[in-house]
Amino acid sequence: MHPLSWILPASRFPASSEYATSDAAANEIALGFLQIRAVPSGAWNDPTASELGDDEKQALIDQWGIHSRQDWLGMIEHLTTVRRRRHAWMLHLAVRNDLATRLGRAPRTREWLDAIAADGGDARDAHPFVAGIEHIEREIRRRVGDDIVTSDVYVRTLDAYALGQAVAMTTWGVALGYADLAEARRIIHRINVEARPCFVSWADFGLSYLAGRIMHWSDGTLDDDSFAKYGGGWHDFKDAASAKRHGPWATLPWPAPIELRSPHPIG
């Protein structure tokens, strides 16, 4: 036993000894960490979802409509392209991102709304969305910790939710017999190639994932109960990014040590 092992807290996320925890493949599958935790299917680094039982597999088939390999491939394609996007939400976030680039910081509420109006939008109509996003940021920062979700980390896109689901979906396909391990690795790599340039850190990705989840399931209508209902993944976010808990996001580097080009299309 390591002399310090009795002092350090055990990881909440035991890894499979069959797969690496620190190489490029581990870094890539870690993009699906929060979704793999949300639908427990095995160790976070297990690309085969080996702990899914027959009833759980059937539930996934029914819930996602993945009754065949083609259904499964189509769902991954859907998650990595359409991503439950809403045009107005994308426009409002694009305005925020452009303004943040000019200011060198996240814009304040009034600055964001004024920029939306200057861009031809309706600031009054946009206000519930702006207030909702800022509320989500405050709640996640308070719970996860401002040492992880620092003041310069803000919601720039809601895409991480669907991208994390796409990685998890890929592992479920192995368990369902729709693909072998080698193909799953190629698909997860392809998802990373497309996703990584959209984010700057694990904290950025995690915040986007939770914000996307909350906005999707609340249908964009946030009230006092929305965060409590749909934001529960903050526990896993916090521990994933915690070095004290040996969280994978705390040890795996971002940018990832992966080749951001791939000759392998999905499917």
Side-chain angles (χ1 to χ4, degrees):
M1 178 181 292
H2 190 281
L4 294 180
S5 62
W6 64 275
I7 298 175
L8 297 174
S11 172
R12 283 193 59 205
F13 316 113
S16 169
S17 60
E18 295 184 37
Y19 305 101
T21 58
S22 59
D23 65 359
N27 200 309
E28 290 178 352
I29 198 172
L31 205 72
F33 180 87
L34 293 179
Q35 186 63 32
I36 290 170
R37 289 290 300 173
V39 182
S41 56
W44 69 266
N45 64 330
D46 178 1
T48 69
S50 59
E51 292 184 13
L52 284 176
D54 291 341
D55 290 345
E56 294 162 318
K57 292 176 185 177
Q58 190 60 52
L60 287 172
I61 290 171
D62 294 340
Q63 177 184 352
W64 289 89
I66 47 174
H67 300 279
S68 68
R69 170 178 162 81
Q70 285 308 117
D71 290 341
W72 170 72
L73 287 171
M75 181 55 65
I76 294 171
E77 180 69 18
H78 173 78
L79 290 169
T80 54
T81 53
V82 178
R83 299 177 182 173
R84 298 187 174 90
R85 290 172 166 177
R86 293 192 184 184
H87 185 64
W89 295 359
M90 292 170 63
L91 287 178
H92 296 334
L93 289 175
V95 167
R96 187 190 206 191
N97 295 337
D98 289 344
L99 182 56
T101 298
R102 296 199 300 271
L103 295 174
R105 58 170 173 78
R108 301 181 181 91
T109 306
R110 189 68 261 165
E111 292 172 328
W112 186 2
L113 290 170
D114 288 346
I116 289 172
D119 195 56
D122 188 317
R124 180 175 297 180
D125 287 346
H127 187 269
F129 174 80
V130 169
I133 291 294
E134 292 182 336
H135 174 71
I136 289 170
E137 289 171 342
R138 287 193 299 272
E139 291 300 313
I140 292 176
R141 188 170 286 116
R142 182 169 68 87
R143 288 167 168 78
V144 174
D146 57 14
D147 58 325
I148 295 173
V149 186
T150 54
S151 59
D152 59 329
V153 177
Y154 61 95
V155 175
R156 296 179 297 110
T157 172
L158 301 171
D159 286 349
Y161 181 43
L163 291 167
Q165 289 181 316
V167 172
M169 177 65 64
T170 304
T171 71
W172 302 339
V174 179
L176 293 170
Y178 296 156
D180 60 16
L181 176 58
E183 183 180 19
R185 290 291 198 197
R186 290 195 299 271
I187 292 174
I188 292 172
H189 174 74
R190 181 69 252 173
I191 295 167
N192 275 262
V193 167
E194 296 172 356
R196 294 283 175 159
C198 302
F199 306 92
V200 299
S201 66
W202 286 117
D204 182 23
F205 183 83
L207 178 62
S208 174
Y209 176 97
L210 286 185
R213 183 177 190 271
I214 294 166
M215 292 298 289
H216 169 70
W217 288 108
S218 69
D219 200 28
T221 304
L222 297 176
D223 55 30
D224 292 340
D225 296 327
S226 296
F227 193 94
K229 289 179 181 177
Y230 310 122
W234 70 266
H235 293 280
D236 288 336
F237 181 4
K238 181 175 183 177
D239 286 336
S242 170
K244 292 182 179 179
R245 287 292 186 186
H246 314 295
W249 288 3
T251 57
L252 292 167
W254 189 299
I258 61 175
E259 174 58 49
L260 291 179
R261 294 182 299 276
S262 174
H264 304 293
I266 293 174

